[in-house]
Amino acid sequence: MTLPHALNGLSEIAADYDILLCDVWGVIHNGRESWPDACAALTRFNRDHGHVVLISNSPRPASDVVAQLDSLGVPRESWRAFVTSGDATRMELAKRAPGPAWIIGPPRDGILYEGLGLQTVDAAADAAFLSVTGPNDDTVETPEDYRERLRPAVARDLEMICANPDRVVQRGDQLIYCGGALADLYESLGGRVTMAGKPFDPIYDLALAEAERLLGAPVDRSRVLCIGDGVITDVLGADRQGLDCLFIAQGIHGDTARGADGRIDPARAGILLQAETTHARYAALDLVW
């Protein structure tokens, strides 16, 4: 097992990179509050080294999520471009318009579908495909609440478009289920799933296009660093793209990679990564400068 190199802070490697592709939820905020040290680290990189492109598995378009970042106190100077799974998924949905689509997800995600010309229905029997952003009520529902509801869609061989590949995210002190957990269930029942967010190519194509725009020149992929806390999204996505990765081990994994001295334990972080057959060049508990 190749262990990640433990970092005390981003400053140790900042000069090696021109572009940071940085995850959002679990790295710079937890859904209720932003983390000043992480925001300050990104701001410092933007000022002294290169450009930060936020890359999120939010199922909503980036233009809609910016207001959430503002409300959480994430400073605009900490990032220069923003792409989401919602941006990439809209391209997939547009290919399948007018549907009709059976929509699963909370009302706040309705903006994902605006302007696409999709017809929507409330059941598998009337649908041409499913589109899922997450549970209808992620405060109380689990994937098991959808097992019987999804069986008719599997029986009809309906494709599921999942707008958020994340399985769980941290909201305050709680872990809540996301679209990826429903996609896992659908596949376990024999269903077909398509995703455009991390770790899949479409969202990285969008992010690297933004990086090229910011640089005003082709991107040197050896000088791109991915940052994230999701092993099967952020780290796996970086691996598939051949990009370096800084694994933020204290996000959704809590204290699992913390050593007895209170610092990152590369061996423990390596076990988390190896469990999903991934590798990160660097690991840290939190994003700091």
Side-chain angles (χ1 to χ4, degrees), residues 44-131:
R44 182 75 175 268
F45 182 87
N46 264 336
R47 188 187 72 194
D48 298 339
H49 295 281
H51 305 285
V52 174
V53 178
L54 298 182
I55 177 170
S56 167
N57 267 351
S58 169
R60 289 173 286 154
S63 58
D64 186 63
V65 186
V66 168
Q68 180 190 31
L69 296 185
D70 290 343
S71 70
L72 293 172
V74 177
R76 291 285 182 103
E77 59 266 28
S78 67
W79 55 275
R80 293 207 171 116
F82 189 11
V83 300
T84 67
S85 179
D87 294 325
T89 301
R90 279 177 61 85
M91 298 179 182
E92 293 296 324
L93 293 170
K95 297 175 188 176
R96 294 161 176 80
W102 177 25
I103 305 298
I104 299 175
R108 66 175 179 270
D109 294 335
I111 193 170
L112 175 69
Y113 307 103
E114 289 185 0
L116 294 179
L118 275 176
Q119 300 172 13
T120 61
V121 293
D122 297 324
D126 303 314
F129 68 94
L130 294 76
S131 181

Side-chain angles (χ1 to χ4, degrees), residues 14 18 71 91 108-109 152 175 201 221 231 239 258:
D18 301 321
S71 70
M91 298 179 182
R108 66 175 179 270
D109 294 335
L175 290 180
D201 291 347
R221 296 173 74 95
V231 176
D239 276 356
R258 183 187 293 273

Side-chain angles (χ1 to χ4, degrees), residues 168-217:
V168 295
V169 294
Q170 185 179 14
R171 179 181 291 159
D173 297 327
Q174 296 181 319
L175 290 180
I176 62 171
Y177 288 103
C178 301
L182 296 183
D184 282 350
L185 172 61
Y186 198 66
E187 286 188 321
S188 75
L189 295 172
R192 296 181 292 121
V193 175
T194 295
M195 293 188 268
K198 297 175 290 184
F200 302 99
D201 291 347
I203 194 170
Y204 290 96
D205 294 341
L206 289 177
L208 292 171
E210 286 294 318
E212 185 169 317
R213 178 185 63 81
L214 291 166
L215 290 169

Side-chain angles (χ1 to χ4, degrees), residues 157-172:
D157 192 33
L158 297 185
E159 177 188 28
M160 173 188 282
I161 308 299
C162 176
N164 181 355
D166 286 350
R167 272 70 171 179
V168 295
V169 294
Q170 185 179 14
R171 179 181 291 159

